[in-house]
Amino acid sequence: MLLHKQEKVIVLDFGGQYSHLVARRSRELKVFCEMLPFSTSIEELKARGAKGIIFSGGPSSIYDHSAPACDPGIYNLGIPILGICYGMQLMARQLGGAVSRAVHREFGRKELQVFERDRLFAGLEQVEQCWMSHGDLVEAPPPAFKVTAMTGEAPVAAMSHPNLDLYAVQFHPEVVQTPKGQEILKKFLYDICGCQGLWTMASFLEETVSEVRRQVGDKKVLCGLSGGVDSSVAAVLVQRAVGDHLTCVFVDHGLLRKGEAEQVLKIFPDKFKINLIGVDARERFLSRLAGVSDPERKRKIIGEEFIRVFEEEADKLGQVDYLVQGTLYPDVVESGTATAAVIKSHHNVGGLPEDMRLKLIEPLCWLYKDEVRALGEELGMPEEVLWRQPFPGPGLGVRILGEVTAAKVAILQEADAIFTEEIRKAGLYRQIWQFFAVLPDLKSVGVMGDKRTYAYTVALRAVHSQDAMTADWVRLPYEVLEAVSSRIVSEIKDINRVVYDITTKPPSTIEWE
Ligand code: XMP
């Protein structure tokens, strides 16, 4: 059984920056949406059983030598199609309309003159706002198509075929700058494609649990649980499906935040009845890191040691058949290996031995990050797990510059905990992508109680980001910075100076190493 067979639409991806957004908007409307490459064959599209197809936008001109195009047989499938931006230009060209090359781009918020209220535009006003971002434009629609809207620059800003359920818009209904965009998508999904909105987290959960249960049977499943959102939700879901057949391994490498290990080791067995093996590998990691200060060497040592510990635990358990991974949908789409089912065969995952012959269970492989959080809520998981910030695998190892020692870890954990407490107190926790303390390898002179001090400087970092590719520093209120600074220097005797990092990414990175 494939997931969500009963109701789905497909976004055919022509490489547009908003392609994922179309899929997300559709899911917000409770219609499951899958993204496939534009080159997907007609047979494959038929086999997917979609109720509708949406052509995404894309950066190409249809006049480019290698402009992406789908098989024109798609128009004969009898499945409703909505073309967006490049998708509209392609539809126009493939069906015999006229598309002119860009002289200049039309970009930004525009007035849309609606003069034909077809099924897509039912209920719209005569003039609506829309968001345009295109070069080429459709000059004349294909034969039998009607022009349904225009803008000052685009004579055909929307078009449709009265009988064939083919619709196209030059603007982007998926962005918030098109205020009626979601309404338009809803019309397409519900009124034109006949969807009913069956995609809910409750239905996804039920379906996935029974799918995992069916496939695993009485075999053994292993999961590396870091306490991060993805691995935590994946583990709790698989536990619900197969109970005691699942064993999770949590490796404490001693580079976690204050209280983190205790929290993970308590919540998962207590609240979710998960078999959890906690491995205290703190000594082991610290001794391997002794004397090492090069950032890349540190990362490498931590990564290798992690896998070694994990392998040893897997060996102790005996023959394991499945490994749970928290892979998300964007990774699946980007790697070009659209996953057809929850479970697929895999060897040698992340350095694990070949002879384990593990099969992967990737229960989140259909979901976006915010959907994983919603699924976690459906599973009754607490906020402190679901809203955890991204935390690097090497942990505090890349936030302690220079050699990592137990003493430095303890200092940084305290400073980080104070920063977190104050951010929470100020009600800013959910608004910030990531914030943390860093311990540079730096001591300076200070004065305290009339005495000279010579102690560490701690740096605070707080950033806003969408996807960690770029980031801006957070303009934290001075009062919050003041409270954090004064608490850190008075409560941690090894710190006498606090600085705030005000660099963006690029040119900096979010982490310091
Ligand atoms: P940078 O420092 O490259 O970080 O701007 C971007 C994002 O990735 C996180 N990060 C990691 N996450 N393993 C991870 O799972 C790692 O080795 C790692 N290094 C950086 C970082 O916290 C930020 O969110």
Side-chain angles (χ1 to χ4, degrees), residues 307 323 325 346-353 358-360:
I307 294 203
L323 180 73
Q325 291 222 317
H346 222 279
H347 295 277
N348 204 16
V349 177
L352 288 169
L358 285 168
K359 294 193 193 84
L360 283 187

Side-chain angles (χ1 to χ4, degrees), residues 299 390-394 398-399 433-434 436 467-469 505 508-513:
R299 275 181 175 272
F391 187 63
V398 291
R399 294 178 182 171
W433 165 268
Q434 208 172 2
F436 52 87
D467 51 11
M469 301 299 286
K505 173 184 179 176
S508 284
T509 50
I510 295 176
E511 303 291 346
W512 278 35
E513 281 193 342

